[in-house]
Amino acid sequence: MNELKLLLSREQIAARVVDIGKQITRDSAGESLVFIGVLKGAAIFLSDLVRHVDLDATFDFIGVTSYGNPPGPKQEKVWNSTGEVRLVKDVEHSLRGQNVILVEDILDTGLTLTFLKRLLLGHEPKSLRIAALLDKPERRRLKIEADYVGFTIPNEFVVGYGLDYAERYRNLPDIRILPGALEG
Ligand code: IMP
Ligand code: MG
């Protein structure tokens, strides 16, 4: 696996996750938070992040699949503009009146987070913010931004630290570039 080109080392990631945790702690002082991780990619980021948030907090997970182009190193140019994202695992409890932080591995076209944001806003939370470890703004198809971004990265397909290609590489401790990416 170490033959894949390194983009972000485990040390860089760890330091940035501490920063984001501290920032969330400051921004939400005196409040309780509910972190919602998007399966499966965000599981590792969420588990590291919540340990750096010094507030009353709970967490849960939500699962989606997308019917469009499955993300991969050969990213096709045409996306289904209707955004075929489907819920496969819902949250356990209502988020009504809660301060919610939606935690995602990467903000790419924006289809997934747009879908999830709309879904979670339906719960009428007190607040809803997004924390994305990575942001690939060049690939954005829908206008959506995260409130907390770990790293803005170029248009490359990346794996590791939760991010997969066909379910593989999630366990790599660093974030690496999978070669073969076409311009999206
Ligand atoms: P979006 O809906 O296009 O914003 O894509 C979000 C989802 O696509 C993420 O949750 C990832 O699962 C996947 N994804 C997008 N880019 C990458 C990448 O570079 N590596 C691995 N997964 C990616
Ligand atoms: Mg994925």
Side-chain angles (χ1 to χ4, degrees):
M1 305 295 175
N2 290 342
E3 67 275 11
L4 297 177
K5 187 174 172 234
L6 184 70
L7 181 67
L8 297 163
S9 71
R10 64 199 78 182
E11 293 83 9
Q12 283 174 287
I13 298 166
R16 191 69 189 112
V17 171
V18 172
D19 288 344
I20 297 173
K22 285 184 179 164
Q23 204 184 332
I24 291 173
T25 303
R26 282 195 302 272
D27 292 350
S28 302
E31 306 202 314
S32 323
L33 297 176
V34 184
F35 290 87
I36 305 292
V38 185
L39 292 172
K40 298 166 222 171
I44 293 177
F45 175 40
L46 182 144
S47 68
D48 283 346
L49 179 64
V50 293
R51 284 178 283 178
H52 296 287
V53 174
D54 188 14
L55 295 171
D56 180 47
T58 61
F59 62 78
D60 195 359
F61 291 94
I62 198 163
V64 289
T65 56
S66 42
Y67 289 125
N69 301 331
K74 303 240 185 291
Q75 287 169 341
E76 290 161 39
K77 291 183 198 296
V78 182
W79 274 86
N80 183 334
S81 60
T82 57
E84 301 280 334
V85 181
R86 186 170 61 98
L87 189 70
V88 295
K89 187 217 166 284
D90 205 347
V91 292
E92 279 178 27
H93 303 290
S94 166
L95 301 169
R96 191 183 177 85
Q98 310 276 325
N99 296 299
V100 177
I101 300 194
L102 183 55
V103 182
E104 177 58 309
D105 53 3
I106 185 165
L107 179 50
D108 186 35
T109 64
L111 292 177
T112 306
L113 281 175
T114 300
F115 172 87
L116 286 174
K117 195 175 169 181
R118 202 172 295 157
L119 185 88
L120 296 188
L121 283 174
H123 287 241
E124 301 186 343
K126 183 176 173 196
S127 64
L128 176 62
R129 280 169 292 162
I130 294 173
L133 178 67
L134 305 177
D135 186 6
K136 247 197 260 185
E138 278 175 56
R139 296 240 319 146
R140 200 79 87 252
R141 299 291 304 264
L142 297 177
K143 190 174 152 41
I144 182 165
E145 297 304 326
D147 301 274
Y148 304 97
V149 172
F151 302 91
T152 298
I153 64 166
N155 186 11
E156 303 273 10
F157 195 83
V158 294
V159 294
Y161 195 75
L163 291 134
D164 73 306
Y165 173 56
E167 298 298 328
R168 293 179 60 212
Y169 307 110
R170 292 194 197 275
N171 59 322
L172 301 188
D174 310 296
I175 293 178
R176 295 176 181 274
I177 294 173
L178 202 64
L182 297 177
E183 294 308 305

